[in-house]
Amino acid sequence: MAKLERGSYKGIWVIAEIQNKSIHSVSLELLSKARELKQQNCLHEPVTAVLLGENPDAYTGILSEAGAEAVIIAQHPALEIFQNETYALVLQGLIEERRPAVVLMGATAMGSDLAPTLGAKLQTGVAAHCVDLRLNEKEDLVAVVPAFGGKVLGDILCPECRPQMATVRPGILAKPVCYRKAACKVEQYNPAEALKKDSGRVKAVSFIPEEMKGVSLEEAEVVIAGGFGAASHEMWELVEQLAEVTGGAVGCTRPPLDAGVRQRRTDDWDKW
Amino acid sequence: MELKIAVCIKSVPDPAYYDKITIDAKTKCLTRKGVPSIIGKGDKVALEQALKLKEKYGGKVTVIGMAPPEARFEMKETLAMGADEALLLSDRLFAGADTLATAYTLAQGLKKMGSFDLVLTGTESADGATAQVPAQLGECLSMAHLWNVKQFSLLSDNEIQATVGLEHAVAEYIVCLPAVLGIARDAGKPRYITASGIKAANCKTCKVMGNAELQAEENRLGETGSPTWPGDITIPSMKRQGRVLEGSPDVIVEALTAALRVAGINIQRKAV
Amino acid sequence: MSMFVFTEEQQLLRKAVREFVEAEIAPHAKRWDEENHCPIELFPELGRLGMIGTFVPECYGGVGMGYIERVICLEELARHSAGLAITIMAHQLCMGGILLFGSEEQKQKYLPDMATGKKVGALSLTEAIGGSNFMGQQSTGMQQDGKWLLNGRKCFITNAHLADVDLWTVVTGKNARGRSVLTAFLMDKDTQGRMPGRAEHKLGMRSSNTGDISCVNVELDESHILEKEGSGAKIALSTIQEVGRAGMSAICLGILRGCLEESLEFSKERMIYGKPLHKLINIQFSLAENRLDYESARLLTYRAAGMKDAGEPCAGEFALAKYAATEGAIRAAKRTIDLMGGYGVINEYPVGRFLRDALTGSTAGGTSDVLKVVIAAESLK
Ligand SMILES: Cc1cc2nc3c(=O)[nH]c(=O)nc-3n(C[C@H](O)[C@H](O)[C@H](O)COP(=O)(O)OP(=O)(O)OC[C@H]3O[C@@H](n4cnc5c(N)ncnc54)[C@H](O)[C@@H]3O)c2cc1C
Ligand SMILES: Cc1cc2nc3c(=O)[nH]c(=O)nc-3n(C[C@H](O)[C@H](O)[C@H](O)COP(=O)(O)OP(=O)(O)OC[C@H]3O[C@@H](n4cnc5c(N)ncnc54)[C@H](O)[C@@H]3O)c2cc1C
């Protein structure tokens, strides 16, 4: 494990995610959180959003409103559909060159795959599925993670390696703040060099959006949740009916999931 | 074509006993006394996929786990389910590993067992549930990797096509073998263990290996090899504020809908 | 055997069976009971899993484990459905008879399909004259033109309407002291003259099928005799004593564990005087008694099964085990109902079914009175 000079790593980065032609809400939540951490701890480096993909330019406005003071854009046709290998290679190149102290991502399907891939390439630690973030007196990142089905919360630190990485669940941090008219430096980064390292062993072929049924959990104002008592098909039916009449989303704890009455949908990742 | 498949199986505390897990206020250590260990359901789903592949193409299924020596029992369970051989990596040096150190150790164990066409894991364990091991194992083995694979099929001797679940979408990938696949929890119901399977397991080997034999780099193992460090553990307060409504049903319904409306929830009349 | 420790293999078996039972049996047990439905359609799957042919050697299509393993399977099944468990257990009585006394040809013919649950068996001993008065049975077998002609009526037979293979005992003569000589016959379901009669509507064990079977001039040749002419009493007694009573003990053990678990869960969740129910000392006494009834029956049952596996004589031990388990199960179910107050008699909870099943199970395989006679005789020896 490479132990690095901590001091040479500075600033907070958020790897932003584009989903359905807009920035995922968790990326915005993270940017606002990063700004808050920066202000509370009087950091100097600008809060930076990194955006990969094809034609990502259109999103800089919304990123800066949520708190980004700088945006790095890496455009390339090879980045059109998410591939852990290419995305991680590009980010690895960037991070090794620019040395951010903290790198944050949403604990989305993409983030949950990309963060550990990148962490392994950089040989640094990743705190997974965090529910809160703070900096301690040494300016080290303290990530709070749930354990045993949320029964306990544990702090995770990464004091000796850089960058310190974390993924955060969507909809858990405060809603993004609006930073109007903030200055934002936009920079294009050419990923071609990094992509040369891609062996091509992972190839994305297609991307098929699923039709959304009901309201997604992160965006829902009302969540109807079922637990142990609803772990039967009859009871679950009631939960779904109630969600429908209240215009809410459906959530559950582990027992209904284990009992198979609640099908885990892709958008349910770990929200229990 | 014969396939050599490895499946990563983690022995975890039975979620049905989570209420027995307590935290020592002084040492901040979790006590798991009286909590039996099991194989997480997700890992059995991965094993099921491996067994199905073996039935279709022939070959061998090897199970690997890193856990204390008692987990031999869970390893035996996988042999009873149909795996051909098992390797349990067990050593005080492995204790306290974060995902990177876990992935490294598992990778070293797999290298000791030979070469594999496919390495299957669950998407996330039932306890730590970081979902980071699959990707990091792929990186440690220098193999292609995918996470949250809902289904996959062999295209040729050295390529598979896989469907990966993302939020509100699925993506298709073509991946070169050898590869690590984190199998989605809903990829298929695992089979039940049969009594003859249990008998047959008696004739299969479960090797228990410490680092004396594994010969992995000590500074990449366990706590020492982990970039992340655990900090404080807290029990979040789950207390909810309750309010009892009294009166006749009509009065209660009136008060309830009013309270919901104040909270911004509008109940729409709808035939269900 | 002094101390009882389960092997790793046995622990694994229990875990595997429990996983299956909790997922595939428990959710339906209440409905089966209410609808008087015997889920015989599960037999092939149960057979594949090894829960039917557990103790049958591999060469006859079984798993090749022992009687302890059989008890483990039946206990786990009966924890959630005693009715299904007694269905399997009666089927195993028929298999046990064939296994212990059948010719090689008979074993090859019947056991592979029975051990894998493809065919269902019954053991037909009891008659209207009184099950305890086994030697007084009146069904007859007479030789005529080189064939055997069977006549008679059996009652309270488990799987009467489901069985493909039926093992009968009939009187085929008298010995020098004037006592009946019994012979055991195996017959197939569609044998001419063999007719299932009424199906009983029972208090408990309702997801099992119990009823009458009659034989009217049923013609069988020598090849249907089990062992030899005159072996009927021996065959019946050893299957009942060492296979039947073991099975009923195991089933009541499952009911006992159900009572223990339900009473613990209920008394933790039920709040009274603002506290969990188990804070009351008399409730704690009930919990302790449920535990005692379970543990003592458990030790007796597994000890007897262990002796059977070791090839030691164990009829007395199984009598002890069955008495402790069946009487314990009745006590514990009643006690648990009392502990639960009004909820105890609400059919949302399974405890009422436990009591009905326990009461029903106590007769099968020998009544408690008869067992006490056996135990006393063993002690006086
Ligand atoms: C409450 C808690 C929070 C934690 N948070 C973090 C964190 O934020 N960052 C971090 O780096 N570590 C963290 N850890 C440590 C982490 O759980 C351990 O490293 C663990 O050994 C592997 O991670 P996992 O259980 O999360 O596996 P996951 O990545 O969730 O497991 C996915 C799959 O990998 C395989 N697998 C995982 N572990 C093993 C194993 N030991 N043997 C065989 N197969 C295995 C299984 O197939 C499993 O289904 C945390 C641990 C706890 C208890
Ligand atoms: C659910 C169920 C399933 C069954 N399945 C089968 C089956 O598959 N095959 C089969 O052959 N039979 C089966 N039986 C029958 C069972 O074996 C008999 O019910 C049992 O042997 C008792 O016989 P009986 O009912 O005729 O009672 P009886 O023998 O008439 O007894 C009546 C009473 O007299 C008492 N008594 C009788 N003899 C004595 C004695 N010597 N000393 C002291 N007290 C005595 C008894 O304890 C009882 O209280 C089943 C019964 C039930 C309830």
Side-chain angles (χ1 to χ4, degrees):
Chain A
M1 184 172 60
K3 303 215 166 153
L4 296 148
E5 243 181 276
R6 303 159 32 118
S8 65
Y9 283 75
K10 290 196 185 93
I12 307 177
W13 282 18
V14 172
I15 313 302
E17 182 175 346
I18 303 170
Q19 224 181 59
N20 285 333
K21 301 209 175 1
S22 62
I23 297 287
H24 195 290
S25 57
V26 70
S27 308
L28 305 177
E29 290 160 17
L30 283 168
L31 282 167
S32 290
K33 184 73 188 179
R35 268 295 271 277
E36 184 191 312
L37 291 176
K38 178 190 163 181
Q39 270 151 17
Q40 279 168 359
N41 297 277
C42 310
L43 308 180
H44 298 293
E45 296 296 308
V47 166
T48 303
V50 182
L51 205 48
L52 310 187
E54 207 183 15
N55 295 324
D57 302 83
Y59 304 108
T60 50
I62 183 168
L63 293 172
S64 110
E65 267 186 16
E69 297 158 303
V71 178
I72 301 174
I73 291 174
Q75 269 197 66
H76 198 278
L79 301 174
E80 189 190 351
I81 307 179
F82 167 66
Q83 286 170 191
N84 52 28
E85 179 72 3
T86 47
Y87 272 49
L89 283 171
V90 171
L91 289 171
Q92 182 188 9
L94 252 173
I95 288 168
E96 280 171 353
E97 190 182 311
R98 313 287 175 90
R99 305 194 160 202
V102 173
V103 175
L104 305 174
M105 288 184 213
T108 57
M110 178 189 106
S112 299
D113 185 11
L114 179 57
T117 307
L118 185 56
K121 286 193 193 296
L122 296 165
Q123 288 288 299
T124 190
V126 186
H129 305 163
C130 308
V131 293
D132 200 12
L133 301 168
R134 59 176 194 274
L135 297 181
N136 68 10
E137 65 290 347
K138 290 189 208 144
E139 281 180 22
D140 281 345
L141 180 71
V142 182
V144 183
V145 300
F148 300 111
K151 226 182 101 74
V152 295
L153 294 176
D155 290 348
I156 302 275
L157 292 96
C158 181
E160 293 187 344
C161 292
R162 289 295 181 269
Q164 307 158 88
M165 294 182 61
T167 64
V168 176
R169 294 160 191 250
I172 288 203
L173 298 173
K175 294 259 161 190
V177 181
C178 190
Y179 294 88
R180 290 227 172 269
K181 285 187 264 159
C184 180
K185 200 178 102 202
V186 179
E187 180 194 345
Q188 299 284 339
Y189 173 81
N190 185 357
E193 197 57 35
L195 286 170
K196 274 189 196 150
K197 288 195 210 141
D198 178 24
S199 61
R201 60 193 181 190
V202 178
K203 285 187 295 253
V205 190
S206 67
F207 177 89
I208 310 144
E210 259 169 23
E211 224 177 283
M212 275 286 289
K213 256 203 278 160
V215 190
S216 89
L217 210 46
E218 305 89 75
E219 282 139 33
E221 292 290 337
V222 179
V223 176
I224 306 297
F228 190 61
S232 69
H233 284 281
E234 299 88 72
M235 288 303 293
W236 194 256
E237 190 71 12
L238 289 175
V239 172
E240 301 226 323
Q241 279 178 17
L242 186 59
E244 201 179 336
V245 295
T246 54
V250 175
C252 72
T253 56
R254 202 109 198 192
L257 197 67
D258 285 342
V261 298
R262 168 62 170 152
Q263 292 297 315
R264 171 171 282 196
R265 297 199 333 228
T266 35
D267 56 312
D268 275 350
W269 269 106
D270 263 307
K271 289 164 193 161
W272 41 268
Chain B
M1 163 197 189
E2 301 239 308
L3 283 175
K4 286 202 69 189
I5 311 163
V7 185
C8 299
I9 296 285
K10 188 180 185 192
S11 158
V12 295
D14 187 343
Y17 290 77
Y18 277 180
D19 56 349
K20 291 224 167 114
I21 297 176
T22 51
I23 301 174
D24 188 314
K26 266 192 223 125
T27 61
K28 297 270 181 195
C29 279
L30 291 178
T31 44
R32 286 178 44 173
K33 232 165 95 192
V35 181
S37 291
I38 57 158
I39 300 170
K41 192 178 159 202
D43 291 7
K44 282 196 175 176
V45 172
L47 179 52
E48 176 64 35
Q49 293 300 317
L51 296 173
K52 282 221 181 84
L53 279 178
K54 184 190 151 181
E55 280 159 9
K56 191 161 168 193
Y57 297 101
K60 189 169 176 187
V61 175
T62 305
V63 158
I64 183 168
M66 182 186 87
E70 299 83 71
R72 235 183 58 84
F73 186 74
E74 278 76 46
M75 291 291 123
K76 188 149 182 194
E77 197 176 338
T78 66
L79 297 177
M81 209 171 137
D84 298 293
E85 58 177 6
L87 173 65
L88 177 62
L89 299 169
S90 217
D91 197 312
R92 287 204 169 274
L93 288 172
F94 305 155
D98 73 356
T99 61
L100 194 61
T102 301
Y104 168 75
T105 314
L106 291 173
Q108 296 310 304
L110 286 172
K111 285 177 187 164
K112 269 260 151 34
M113 295 300 276
S115 62
F116 294 93
D117 301 303
L118 270 174
V119 179
L120 306 187
T121 72
T123 31
E124 53 168 7
S125 70
D127 59 346
T130 63
Q132 296 188 155
V133 171
Q136 299 194 323
L137 183 58
E139 293 295 319
C140 290
L141 290 166
S142 301
M143 288 184 189
H145 52 91
L146 290 175
W147 179 79
N148 204 24
V149 173
K150 296 167 103 52
Q151 60 188 62
F152 64 96
S153 54
L154 257 69
L155 293 180
S156 67
D157 277 9
N158 55 7
E159 264 183 343
I160 59 161
Q161 176 152 4
T163 310
V164 166
L166 302 169
E167 271 107 358
H168 320 314
V170 293
E172 291 283 329
Y173 292 91
I174 290 178
V175 169
C176 296
L177 296 183
V180 178
L181 305 181
I183 302 296
R185 215 179 141 90
D186 56 4
K189 191 176 161 184
R191 65 193 58 191
Y192 291 109
I193 291 174
T194 68
S196 12
I198 293 172
K199 266 198 95 181
N202 283 335
C203 314
K204 299 176 183 174
T205 45
C206 171
K207 196 169 168 46
V208 182
M209 200 186 276
N211 201 44
E213 200 175 337
L214 186 65
Q215 302 256 307
E217 293 169 49
E218 277 192 28
N219 63 355
R220 296 184 68 180
L221 294 174
E223 220 178 294
T224 329
S226 295
T228 66
W229 296 6
D232 282 353
I233 299 180
T234 49
I235 303 178
S237 163
M238 289 296 190
K239 285 224 171 85
R240 270 95 167 174
Q241 214 178 9
R243 209 173 108 200
V244 179
L245 301 176
E246 279 171 6
S248 68
D250 284 349
V251 172
I252 293 177
V253 168
E254 192 77 11
L256 185 62
T257 40
L260 288 174
R261 222 172 290 124
V262 170
I265 302 169
N266 277 313
I267 305 216
Q268 304 140 13
R269 235 169 232 295
K270 210 167 174 187
V272 282
Chain C
M1 183 181 312
S2 52
M3 292 283 281
F4 199 83
V5 187
F6 290 109
T7 63
E8 198 176 57
E9 186 177 300
Q10 289 161 349
Q11 290 173 42
L12 198 48
L13 179 68
R14 186 182 295 279
K15 192 171 176 184
V17 175
R18 187 173 297 183
E19 207 169 295
F20 172 79
V21 170
E22 282 177 357
E24 310 288 340
I25 305 292
H28 310 292
K30 177 166 174 278
R31 182 171 49 83
W32 292 336
D33 176 72
E34 279 167 0
E35 295 173 1
N36 276 310
H37 173 68
C38 175
I40 203 72
E41 63 278 3
L42 288 178
F43 251 50
E45 173 70 354
L46 291 163
R48 197 185 63 79
L49 292 169
M51 288 154 79
I52 292 180
T54 324
F55 61 100
V56 175
E58 280 159 303
C59 55
Y60 303 122
V63 182
M65 289 179 166
Y67 281 78
I68 289 179
E69 287 80 3
R70 170 179 181 244
V71 170
I72 289 173
C73 291
L74 287 175
E75 179 190 338
E76 291 302 323
L77 274 164
R79 162 65 183 88
H80 291 284
S81 176
L84 175 57
I86 199 177
T87 304
I88 293 174
M89 124 64 205
H91 165 80
Q92 289 174 332
L93 286 180
C94 180
M95 278 199 302
I98 298 172
L99 185 65
L100 296 174
F101 301 99
S103 65
E104 189 54 34
E105 207 184 327
Q106 286 166 331
K107 290 184 196 174
Q108 294 290 358
K109 178 174 173 199
Y110 291 108
L111 290 178
D113 280 350
M114 292 179 81
T116 48
K118 293 189 191 85
K119 281 200 170 144
V120 180
L123 176 68
S124 302
L125 308 178
T126 305
E127 295 186 8
I129 183 175
S132 314
N133 184 13
F134 170 68
M135 290 308 290
Q137 64 178 263
Q138 295 177 328
S139 298
T140 54
M142 284 186 307
Q143 261 178 317
Q144 208 174 52
D145 309 329
K147 297 243 178 190
W148 288 90
L149 209 58
L150 269 55
N151 279 289
R153 184 169 73 91
K154 300 285 181 181
C155 61
F156 297 145
I157 306 308
T158 305
N159 298 337
H161 300 78
L162 305 171
D164 303 292
V165 186
D166 193 0
L167 201 174
W168 271 53
T169 52
V170 294
V171 180
T172 50
K174 296 247 184 280
N175 68 9
R177 283 186 288 159
R179 291 190 52 158
S180 294
V181 169
L182 304 186
T183 302
F185 287 86
L186 278 170
M187 59 187 114
D188 293 328
K189 171 175 152 190
D190 299 323
T191 308
Q192 178 92 37
R194 177 188 174 275
M195 292 169 294
R198 60 177 282 155
E200 303 295 351
H201 189 68
K202 302 190 295 296
L203 172 72
M205 302 277 190
R206 287 161 56 135
S207 44
S208 71
N209 162 266
T210 316
D212 282 11
I213 311 174
S214 300
C215 277
V216 179
N217 293 329
V218 166
E219 257 187 43
L220 297 173
D221 62 29
E222 291 281 337
S223 71
H224 291 267
I225 293 182
L226 206 51
E227 200 179 74
K228 59 178 194 290
E229 191 184 336
S231 294
K234 180 180 77 184
I235 291 172
L237 282 177
S238 48
T239 31
I240 285 297
Q241 286 177 342
E242 296 185 5
V243 187
R245 285 178 194 157
M248 290 315 298
S249 309
I251 290 169
C252 289
L253 214 49
I255 298 176
L256 273 164
R257 206 178 82 229
C259 294
L260 179 58
E261 289 174 1
E262 289 291 331
S263 58
L264 285 170
E265 194 180 319
F266 186 87
S267 61
K268 280 185 205 163
E269 272 173 14
R270 167 75 166 151
M271 300 296 281
I272 188 165
Y273 309 115
K275 286 185 215 135
L277 183 61
H278 68 71
K279 294 285 177 196
L280 297 175
I281 191 74
N282 58 315
I283 298 297
Q284 293 188 10
F285 285 2
S286 292
L287 296 174
E289 283 164 359
N290 276 357
R291 176 87 191 266
L292 275 164
D293 277 334
Y294 171 61
E295 297 280 353
S296 45
R298 181 170 178 269
L299 284 171
L300 285 171
T301 305
Y302 284 104
R303 177 189 65 166
M307 289 173 70
K308 172 88 184 149
D309 281 334
E312 294 169 32
C314 50
E317 280 71 16
F318 272 126
L320 282 164
K322 181 178 183 269
Y323 181 88
T326 52
E327 292 295 324
I330 294 168
R331 276 198 305 271
K334 159 79 163 58
R335 188 186 294 129
T336 306
I337 289 175
D338 291 343
L339 171 151
M340 292 172 72
Y343 295 100
V345 296
I346 305 297
N347 281 335
E348 292 302 314
Y349 292 92
V351 194
R353 171 162 58 90
F354 292 167
L355 180 60
R356 290 187 286 104
D357 287 349
L359 286 166
T360 310
S362 84
T363 327
T367 65
S368 288
D369 290 341
V370 167
L371 294 176
K372 280 194 276 193
V373 173
V374 174
I375 294 165
E378 283 269 329
S379 313
L380 288 166
K381 249 190 213 163

